[in-house]
Amino acid sequence: MTGVVVGRRGRRPAGSGVQLTFEVIAETLRERIRSGGLKPGDALPTQAVLMREFGASSLTVQRAMALLKQDGWAVSRPGKGAFVAHHDHGADDADDLDGPEATAPAAGTAARVEALECALAEAAQQIADLRGRVEALESGSGERGR
């Protein structure tokens, strides 16, 4: 008997009918975008809102948002949050089992590049913020110790 190979996003084999929580969150947001409930440029719900809505951990919500950004559905704006990307997604996008890389139009690729650039800028900002906090704590604790 051969082992089951799990896809790059932790997807279950076809027919298993079980999705991971982060996939459920991402698919719910995709459906809101497809239905017009969320339009290009609209802010996506915050991490706190999604955690409450789905009873999920912050890591699970972060994985869902990363998946949406990776697939070109969302972009991050450092200091502002995540927003619906400004390009069309075909109705058959959810049926794309090979991932968007195989069939995405150029606009989809550009949106993914934009999402990656925004994510990188956001990560750099978070690192700078953390570095500032560490320096503040170190300088504060150094003065108290004297």
Side-chain angles (χ1 to χ4, degrees):
M1 182 173 175
T2 61
V4 175
V5 177
V6 177
R8 65 179 169 78
R9 289 191 212 127
R11 293 192 189 277
R12 302 297 192 265
S16 72
V18 177
Q19 284 187 312
L20 300 171
T21 304
F22 79 94
E23 292 174 313
V24 171
I25 296 169
E27 184 54 34
T28 300
L29 292 173
R30 280 189 210 103
E31 188 51 42
R32 290 178 188 171
I33 295 167
R34 282 188 206 106
S35 70
L38 289 169
K39 295 176 177 36
D42 284 354
L44 290 170
T46 64
Q47 179 173 316
V49 167
L50 293 172
M51 287 171 62
R52 280 192 304 273
E53 181 177 344
F54 291 93
S57 70
S58 62
L59 182 59
T60 298
V61 171
Q62 289 170 13
R63 288 186 71 190
M65 295 306 289
L67 181 58
L68 289 173
K69 293 171 191 173
Q70 171 187 319
D71 290 348
W73 288 88
V75 293
S76 287
R77 295 186 189 144
K80 299 196 186 291
F83 296 82
V84 177
H86 286 280
H87 74 281
D88 266 345
H89 295 279
D92 61 344
D93 197 22
D95 297 331
D96 181 9
L97 299 178
D98 294 325
E101 304 82 25
T103 59
T109 301
R112 281 193 304 282
V113 169
E114 178 185 355
L116 289 170
E117 288 172 342
C118 288
L120 179 60
E122 184 176 356
Q125 182 61 49
Q126 289 173 345
I127 290 169
D129 291 346
L130 288 171
R131 184 174 286 133
R133 288 180 183 176
V134 168
E135 290 172 358
L137 287 171
E138 287 175 345
S139 68
S141 66
E143 291 174 9
R144 280 182 283 196
R146 294 180 183 176

